[in-house]
Amino acid sequence: MNAPNASGWQPEMGNAEARTSPTASGDRALMLEEALIFELREPGTTGVDIDEPAAPPLAGLARFLRQDIAALPGLSEPETVRHYTRLSRQNYAIDLGPFPLGSCTMKHNPRLNEKVARMAGFADLHPLVPQQAAGGAFEVINELAHWLITLTGMHGVAMTPKAGAHGELCGVLCIKAALAARGDTRNVMLVPESAHGTNPATAAFAGFTIENIPATAEGRVDLAALMARLGPEVAGVMITNPNTCGLFERDMKTISDAVHAAGGYVYCDGANFNAIVGKVRPGDLGIDAMHINLHKTFSTPHGGGGPGSGPVVLSEALAPYGPLPFTARQADGTVLLIEEQDAAAEHPHSFGRMAAFHGQMGMFTRALAYILSHGADGLARVAEDAVLNANYVLRSLDGDLDAPFGGSGPCMHEALFSDVGLADGFSTLDVAKGLIDEGFHPMTVYFPLVVHGAMLVEPTETESKAGLDRFIASLRSLAQRAKAGDESLKSAPHFAPRRRLDETQAARKPVLVWKGDAAA
């Protein structure tokens, strides 16, 4: 990768002059350096005409009248549209290329799903509409719940959790409620090293004491260590399967049987369900609770602080303690929402409510459309192709990047590499930043913590072989440069809108507010 060209293009220029001066800008072909919208404003300019109020404000409100002109950017409509369009060109998206983020399963969102979500009656449905006017929505929720139970082999499902971590909390609260119902004061939750990082945080938030279970040299749960720790104070285990090393926990049924025999429950993090959907039913492995990230396995939009959805499937032992509300089909065939007023008769042991309403309707419609369009055979093919793609990445980079668990058998949904073998002074971060120059979003880095300098790649099933070959070629090139000590890699990315940030300062002292002519 070449350095910035001789024209003096410097994408790291960050002051107002560099962004607005035609001679010192970071413009490059059609990619224009974009100032903050406040820097583009012209005092007194507005894109709309606002008439003076025809009448004075109501009595008592006069004291709230603004004394100064609002510090809003004054742009015309074309200027506003162009500003945001130029910004969008600097954004990476799944519609532009792959997101190889390990354990995030960011894959193509079929346009059919989007069309269904925008259908009248779903998109315009108000959360406070009377139940009699929401029969179609309840049918969709109930149908999706049916398929989630069927695909996982579980007994019930809570649809209200809004995200994976919210689903984790739901499952752990079900465990807590089940223990309380039998007068059991167990307060220890076992969490393997190969579990998702949110698992111990969720259990601690729910009031449990966390104890770590080590991994074996091949990247799986140390069965002997887990067995030795089971006892009367252990409430359960939170396990991720397939785990964050990209491996299937072969001893899952043995683990579940042992935890149950000791009086505990088994929570499974379902973030990686995409690797086994249609192939393995977690209920058959003895799982008591598992959240399902609809955005990961069932292709609903991912990220941006929402819209998320994390339904939790529950075993027969935990289903009575699931949250309100939930849908239930009545004797006359209609589906209604069971809420607090019906809880005594319909669901007396519920631990309570997790959300004001019954989940994310747009996510439910998208996920159900995905399931119905694929069918049972199509969903099984999703898992097969996701695993095939991950193993193709893993084996294609043999000899280029260290794969700490490459000898532990085929990986599942993701390939895990480390920084072992890079030249002195070079790190995982250099490889990740270099990927930006190659036109790819970086993989997950430094996670899982059991691997030093981890690089976790999940290609998902939606990437073609040709697309994977391009990604693999770029990653191989970067690995070779890092091994050879190519100093230009340390300052990557060179062709992004901004050069490499000071990671520590960006995390600890982010500049998020614009005030006048200076950021603060």
Side-chain angles (χ1 to χ4, degrees):
M1 188 61 70
N2 296 324
N5 62 26
S7 67
W9 173 70
Q10 290 293 333
E12 71 271 24
M13 299 173 74
N15 56 62
E17 286 186 9
R19 284 195 291 264
T20 56
S21 168
T23 57
S25 74
D27 295 350
R28 181 182 172 90
L30 297 178
M31 184 63 71
L32 303 182
E33 175 69 11
E34 191 64 20
L36 296 177
I37 194 168
F38 291 98
E39 295 173 324
L40 296 175
R41 72 172 183 259
E42 296 180 16
T45 300
T46 179
V48 297
D49 293 326
I50 302 176
D51 295 331
E52 292 293 328
L58 295 175
L61 296 180
R63 67 183 185 277
F64 296 115
L65 282 176
R66 180 181 292 278
Q67 300 301 312
D68 301 316
I69 297 176
L72 298 175
L75 275 72
S76 67
E77 181 174 305
E79 289 172 324
T80 304
V81 170
R82 289 170 181 170
H83 170 72
Y84 286 107
T85 301
R86 287 193 295 264
L87 283 180
S88 73
R89 290 167 56 87
Q90 298 181 10
N91 191 35
Y92 192 84
I94 196 67
D95 289 343
L96 292 174
F99 269 93
L101 294 168
S103 283
C104 282
T105 320
M106 299 189 74
K107 59 187 185 179
H108 174 66
N109 306 138
R111 293 305 181 264
L112 172 64
N113 303 359
E114 301 302 314
K115 182 176 181 179
V116 171
R118 287 166 172 76
M119 290 174 62
F122 294 139
D124 302 331
L125 192 64
H126 193 283
L128 292 177
V129 70
Q131 286 209 25
Q132 302 92 312
F138 293 151
E139 286 282 354
V140 167
I141 296 171
N142 206 61
E143 183 75 3
L144 176 59
H146 162 75
W147 283 111
L148 295 181
I149 292 170
T150 301
L151 288 166
T152 57
M154 301 291 266
H155 187 76
V157 60
M159 299 294 288
T160 56
K162 300 297 186 66
H166 203 212
E168 288 176 24
L169 181 61
C170 174
V172 171
L173 290 179
C174 286
I175 292 174
K176 196 169 187 177
L179 292 172
R182 71 188 195 200
D184 200 326
T185 59
R186 297 166 182 257
N187 68 338
V188 174
M189 191 68 72
L190 305 181
V191 181
E193 287 182 347
S194 57
H196 268 150
T198 51
N199 292 176
T202 297
F205 183 79
F208 289 99
T209 298
I210 311 304
E211 292 192 15
N212 181 60
I213 299 298
T216 64
E218 67 168 15
R220 295 182 171 90
V221 174
D222 188 324
L223 184 60
L226 186 144
M227 296 288 199
R229 184 58 194 88
L230 294 175
E233 72 278 18
V234 173
V237 60
M238 293 186 77
I239 192 166
T240 302
N241 192 25
N243 67 31
T244 50
C245 296
L247 303 171
F248 190 80
E249 294 288 354
R250 295 181 299 220
D251 295 321
M252 190 67 243
K253 187 63 168 65
T254 302
I255 291 171
S256 296
D257 291 344
V259 172
H260 291 154
Y265 295 95
V266 179
Y267 185 91
C268 182
D269 187 307
N272 302 332
F273 188 50
N274 194 60
I276 60 174
V277 62
K279 305 292 289 187
V280 177
R281 301 194 313 171
D284 297 335
L285 302 178
I287 304 299
D288 289 301
M290 184 183 86
H291 78 267
I292 302 173
N293 303 76
L294 295 187
H295 54 279
K296 294 188 176 186
T297 304
F298 299 109
S299 82
T300 65
H302 189 157
S309 188
V312 179
V313 286
L314 300 165
S315 68
E316 189 171 3
L318 289 187
Y321 305 98
L324 296 167
F326 62 92
T327 58
R329 191 171 297 282
Q330 307 302 298
D332 63 358
T334 61
V335 177
L336 293 179
L337 203 59
I338 306 302
E339 302 196 74
E340 282 78 359
Q341 60 267 32
D342 307 306
E346 298 273 358
H347 200 49
H349 304 297
S350 170
F351 70 74
R353 197 177 188 97
M354 291 206 73
F357 303 107
H358 196 51
Q360 301 278 22
M361 195 64 218
M363 301 305 103
F364 295 156
T365 52
R366 288 175 171 92
L368 183 58
Y370 183 82
I371 290 171
L372 295 180
S373 62
H374 279 71
D377 58 334
L379 290 175
R381 180 69 182 270
V382 163
E384 292 168 356
D385 288 351
V387 171
L388 176 63
N389 281 355
N391 280 277
Y392 183 64
V393 171
L394 180 67
R395 298 308 169 195
S396 295
L397 291 167
D398 276 346
D400 296 302
L401 281 171
D402 174 68
F405 303 122
S408 299
C411 66
M412 296 298 291
H413 56 298
E414 59 197 354
L416 178 58
F417 304 100
S418 81
D419 62 357
V420 172
L422 303 186
D424 289 344
F426 286 81
S427 68
T428 288
L429 191 65
D430 299 323
V431 176
K433 297 297 186 183
L435 265 179
I436 298 174
D437 280 340
E438 298 287 334
F440 293 102
H441 192 286
M443 73 293 277
T444 292
V445 295
Y446 301 111
F447 181 80
L449 301 179
V450 294
V451 170
H452 187 276
M455 290 175 263
L456 194 57
V457 178
E458 182 173 7
T460 80
E461 74 284 357
T462 56
E463 297 305 323
S464 67
K465 181 178 181 299
L468 290 179
D469 285 339
R470 288 192 294 270
F471 175 78
I472 290 166
S474 291
L475 198 50
R476 179 182 294 118
S477 171
L478 292 166
Q480 292 172 351
R481 289 170 59 194
K483 286 182 175 180
D486 183 347
E487 287 294 325
S488 68
L489 200 55
K490 288 187 176 182
S491 56
H494 299 112
F495 301 106
R498 287 290 178 272
R499 297 288 286 276
R500 191 181 303 198
L501 299 175
D502 182 320
E503 302 276 338
T504 302
Q505 292 299 312
R508 295 181 179 178
K509 296 181 180 180
V511 178
L512 303 176
V513 179
W514 173 264
K515 292 184 178 180
D517 294 326

